[in-house]
Amino acid sequence: MDKIPILKMGQYLLVTVQVDLYDRLALGLESDLVNMIRKHSSRGVLIDISAVNIVDSFMGRILGNIAQMSKILDAHTVVVGMQPAVAITLIELGLPMTGVHTALNVEKGMDLLREQLLAQEPLTPEEDDDYQ
Amino acid sequence: MTIISKETIAIRTEQDAVFLRHRVTEYCVKIRMGLVNQTKLLTAASELVRNMLRYAGGGVVLCEVVSQSVLMMGVRLTFTDKGPGIADIAAAMKDGFSTGKSLGLGLPGTKRLVSQFDIKSQLGKGTSVTILKWKNG
Amino acid sequence: MKSLAAQFLPKKHDEILNVWMNQQLLHEGLREDLMPNDDLRKDSDELLKAILEVIKKDNFSDVNPDEFEKVNEVLAGISTSRAMNGFSPRETALFVISLKEGLRIVLEKNIEDPKALYDEFVRISTFLDKLSLVTFETFIKGREEVILRQTSEISEISTPVIQVWDGILALPIIGTLDSSRTQIVMESLLVKIVETESTIAILDISGVPAVDSLVAQHLIKTVSATRLMGAECIISGIRPEIAQTIVHLGIDLSGINTKASLAHALKFAFNLKRLEVRKAGEFKKIAAE
């Protein structure tokens, strides 16, 4: 059976969906990702959907689920590269995916993950300088 | 309204749904439907195929290219299954209604994505949904 | 037995054309500015040939049978092109009606018996009246086409997406926002966001005459779609009366960044991007300290 590959990059997991999504494939991705986050104690997940032409209510829900599940496991999820036509269709469908963080491309998505990680860390010594 | 071409595709598995997607894309490209409208139609088709597979175990899809005038061309899809049928169509067409475990956006969301939407259902006999998307709207 | 008119009129093509042309050239409503006289002659010649062809067959009671197709076609072509060139409907109808006068003069010269002349003239006159109705219909159809074309042109040119800064886009919306226009606005905005890798979009609605719940819904949709792409959207140019209607209608815009003017929105965008705008002198002072 087909599988969507998940790449591990340091503290992050990287998924690039290159094929047409269908339900079983999306469900497989959901469970694989959750297991990978647990196994590697990942802090962030980046899902690139720039090659995906269709996201319907089911696949939109899977993306939302992944975001929620990874949140529980203390990892942030960013969905990047959504095509304009897909975004317009999701809105018309009634699925604004408010719980999911988004970014324009992989680069901006990585920046967002790093920022979110930094915001959680305690202040670094350099920043403490100001108070001395 | 004139029918320019038609084809019937049987749906039994999720793989058939992927095949249907490719065929519908080809029709859309042939009549030069814009990308956003194409995506809306394909997404609507994807919702309806899922319903067919989930509630009726499959069915058939009739794909037609129709035209009303030179400027008004569109793609019409008719999804017919022999499933249990829908007891209360009015309720099924409301946002947030679901007998399964879904978000309940399937039918009302699908209606918002297409130009014309028609649903007929008989309890115990099956359901037939027709959607039409004009190339410019 | 063919009628008198059917017998001799077709042979008199040149004579009728000359009389008709003189009539048109002398008429005070002649529009040389819209159409050179050579073209007018060409149009007149073409139409007259088609009409005489019908008269020859001696069957001009009905304007719809196949034999009339040629006449209708020529007339449709003439009135459509006139509609596009800016002729008034009156001028276009007059073009056909003035032929009546030309035909009358030629008929008078050739038929001596008053009764026969009267009968022939009435028949031809009715026929030409029907033709002028056809002109009218096609003239309006021509105008409708012009309107349709302009509508699509307006919706295309009325959505200019401007890059105001590196990573900041602005989209001034002018005119009413209906659902088909929203789709065009959304699409051009989102495509431009991808193209320029912009993370902030400013939607300026100073040029939108009124905001009702439907327009607000379209705005909210555009903002949500922008967010799905990974960009932030600010709505600016909200006039006081629009703020009032929004609240009175109970529309919830709380999840959306709204600013009174484009300048405020731009300043807010700079803040989001951690950019600062200062006077040049001030900058030197800070540098010197």
Side-chain angles (χ1 to χ4, degrees):
Chain A
M1 200 187 116
D2 291 342
K3 245 181 192 308
I4 297 170
I6 302 170
L7 308 178
K8 180 180 169 293
M9 272 182 68
Q11 307 185 72
Y12 306 111
L13 295 179
L14 192 67
V15 181
T16 308
V17 185
Q18 297 280 11
V19 291
D20 271 337
L21 270 179
Y22 52 89
D23 297 6
R24 224 173 319 150
L25 201 57
L27 280 172
L29 177 66
E30 182 187 289
S31 61
D32 287 354
L33 255 180
V34 177
N35 286 327
M36 285 279 273
I37 295 172
R38 176 78 178 77
K39 188 168 149 203
H40 300 292
S41 313
S42 307
R43 302 302 307 277
V45 178
L46 189 135
I47 306 174
D48 176 19
I49 57 164
S50 56
V52 175
N53 296 318
I54 301 168
V55 177
D56 65 8
S57 66
F58 185 81
M59 299 168 214
R61 183 161 67 124
I62 297 280
L63 288 176
N65 285 353
I66 291 174
Q68 274 183 13
M69 291 169 186
S70 55
K71 189 83 195 289
I72 297 173
L73 295 169
D74 196 24
H76 287 282
T77 304
V78 180
V79 173
V80 306
M82 187 183 290
Q83 288 177 16
V86 172
I88 294 173
T89 304
L90 275 176
I91 294 301
E92 209 67 55
L93 196 60
L95 205 71
M97 308 228 294
T98 34
V100 181
H101 291 281
T102 51
L104 274 179
N105 48 37
V106 175
E107 216 178 333
K108 290 201 157 65
M110 281 313 274
D111 287 346
L112 191 66
L113 281 180
R114 270 190 218 109
E115 262 172 49
Q116 274 168 344
L117 207 53
L118 271 180
Q120 282 186 346
E121 307 273 305
L123 292 174
T124 51
E126 289 105 308
E127 276 168 297
D128 280 340
D129 283 352
D130 297 341
Y131 298 101
Q132 284 172 355
Chain B
M1 199 175 334
T2 38
I3 295 162
I4 295 167
S5 67
K6 64 159 121 185
E7 182 189 0
T8 311
I9 296 169
I11 304 287
R12 267 172 224 99
T13 64
E14 279 190 28
Q15 300 298 332
D16 295 337
V18 176
F19 175 72
L20 172 77
R21 239 186 248 172
H22 287 266
R23 293 299 295 166
V24 175
T25 312
E26 277 170 32
Y27 285 124
C28 291
V29 170
K30 214 187 269 170
I31 64 164
R32 295 194 196 169
M33 190 186 277
L35 186 60
V36 174
N37 285 339
Q38 234 181 78
T39 309
K40 284 185 178 173
L41 178 67
L42 285 172
T43 309
S46 177
E47 298 284 348
L48 294 174
V49 165
R50 174 169 313 105
N51 281 350
M52 250 172 40
L53 285 169
R54 183 173 297 166
Y55 297 109
V60 285
V61 182
L62 173 67
C63 310
E64 292 164 306
V65 176
V66 294
S67 83
Q68 209 152 51
S69 69
V70 189
L71 289 171
M72 286 277 272
M73 297 228 325
V75 174
R76 183 166 66 185
L77 305 173
T78 308
F79 300 77
T80 313
D81 67 51
K82 293 192 168 57
I86 301 169
D88 186 349
I89 291 184
M93 290 307 296
K94 276 201 197 103
D95 268 327
F97 177 89
S98 175
T99 53
K101 276 183 286 177
S102 68
L103 292 175
L105 284 172
L107 286 178
T110 303
K111 190 178 178 185
R112 283 194 289 269
L113 293 178
V114 294
S115 322
Q116 276 174 35
F117 182 97
D118 184 46
I119 181 164
K120 283 189 198 81
S121 186
Q122 253 188 309
L123 264 188
K125 292 246 172 95
T127 307
S128 166
V129 183
T130 304
I131 55 173
L132 188 154
K133 187 85 189 161
W134 294 116
K135 136 188 179 185
N136 323 302
Chain C
M1 174 67 194
K2 274 186 179 178
S3 73
L4 279 168
Q7 284 171 28
F8 74 84
L9 273 184
K11 292 176 206 141
K12 306 275 183 194
H13 172 268
D14 292 349
E15 191 183 341
I16 302 168
L17 182 63
N18 282 334
V19 177
W20 186 22
M21 275 310 288
N22 283 338
Q23 293 265 342
Q24 294 193 67
L25 293 180
L26 288 175
H27 195 276
E28 58 203 18
L30 181 70
R31 296 297 296 265
E32 266 180 282
D33 51 334
L34 294 181
M35 186 184 245
N37 290 338
D38 285 351
D39 285 0
L40 179 63
R41 193 177 184 92
K42 227 196 280 160
D43 275 4
S44 309
D45 180 43
E46 198 185 354
L47 179 62
L48 185 59
K49 264 189 196 138
I51 290 178
L52 289 178
E53 207 44 48
V54 176
I55 293 181
K56 205 195 228 164
K57 298 213 173 85
D58 204 15
N59 167 32
F60 31 92
S61 46
D62 191 359
V63 193
N64 280 322
D66 298 346
E67 291 161 25
F68 283 73
E69 215 168 81
K70 177 76 183 146
V71 185
N72 285 340
E73 203 176 281
V74 173
L75 262 184
I78 290 174
S79 29
T80 312
S81 81
R82 284 182 167 226
M84 300 215 174
N85 288 333
F87 278 86
S88 73
R90 184 198 177 85
E91 283 157 351
T92 311
L94 262 179
F95 167 69
V96 178
I97 292 170
S98 66
L99 174 59
K100 234 193 238 183
E101 192 62 12
L103 284 169
R104 185 185 63 87
I105 292 171
V106 177
L107 279 173
E108 263 177 19
K109 270 195 208 157
N110 291 282
I111 304 178
E112 310 236 309
D113 175 28
K115 170 86 173 69
L117 175 62
Y118 176 76
D119 286 349
E120 289 299 334
F121 182 64
V122 165
R123 253 160 40 96
I124 287 190
S125 174
T126 323
F127 168 54
L128 280 179
D129 286 347
K130 278 182 188 156
L131 286 186
S132 60
L133 283 181
V134 173
T135 329
F136 218 83
E137 266 172 17
T138 41
F139 182 87
I140 288 173
K141 259 189 219 153
R143 274 288 160 96
E144 270 167 6
E145 260 169 48
V146 173
I147 293 170
L148 267 181
R149 209 189 53 224
Q150 284 174 341
T151 316
S152 72
E153 258 170 39
I154 288 172
S155 47
E156 262 167 46
I157 58 170
S158 64
T159 49
V161 185
I162 311 153
Q163 185 167 20
V164 283
W165 203 267
D166 185 29
I168 305 175
L169 296 178
L171 197 156
I173 302 174
I174 294 157
T176 339
L177 207 57
D178 57 12
S179 58
S180 66
R181 182 118 186 267
T182 308
Q183 172 152 350
I184 296 170
V185 167
M186 250 198 243
E187 197 180 350
S188 48
L189 180 65
L190 298 195
V191 167
K192 194 81 173 184
I193 285 176
V194 175
E195 217 173 82
T196 59
E197 295 195 7
S198 298
T199 48
I200 297 171
I202 304 172
L203 228 54
D204 189 81
I205 58 165
S206 327
V208 178
V211 176
D212 55 12
S213 47
L214 208 63
V215 173
Q217 211 189 341
H218 291 322
L219 286 173
I220 293 169
K221 270 186 192 170
T222 312
V223 172
S224 316
T226 317
R227 284 192 182 148
L228 273 185
M229 302 282 301
E232 193 44 61
C233 199
I234 307 166
I235 296 182
S236 76
I238 301 175
R239 282 174 279 127
E241 63 269 27
I242 286 186
Q244 281 175 307
T245 16
I246 286 174
V247 174
H248 285 159
L249 289 173
I251 300 162
D252 183 20
L253 289 185
S254 56
I256 295 173
N257 291 311
T258 49
K259 296 284 168 241
S261 69
L262 185 60
H264 282 113
L266 194 58
K267 204 172 165 196
F268 180 72
F270 282 153
N271 272 341
L272 285 180
K273 290 211 149 248
R274 295 187 201 116
L275 294 170
E276 253 180 89
V277 184
R278 298 200 190 93
K279 268 189 193 156
E282 276 176 55
F283 180 73
K284 267 187 211 147
K285 231 193 279 169
I286 289 165
E289 269 169 16

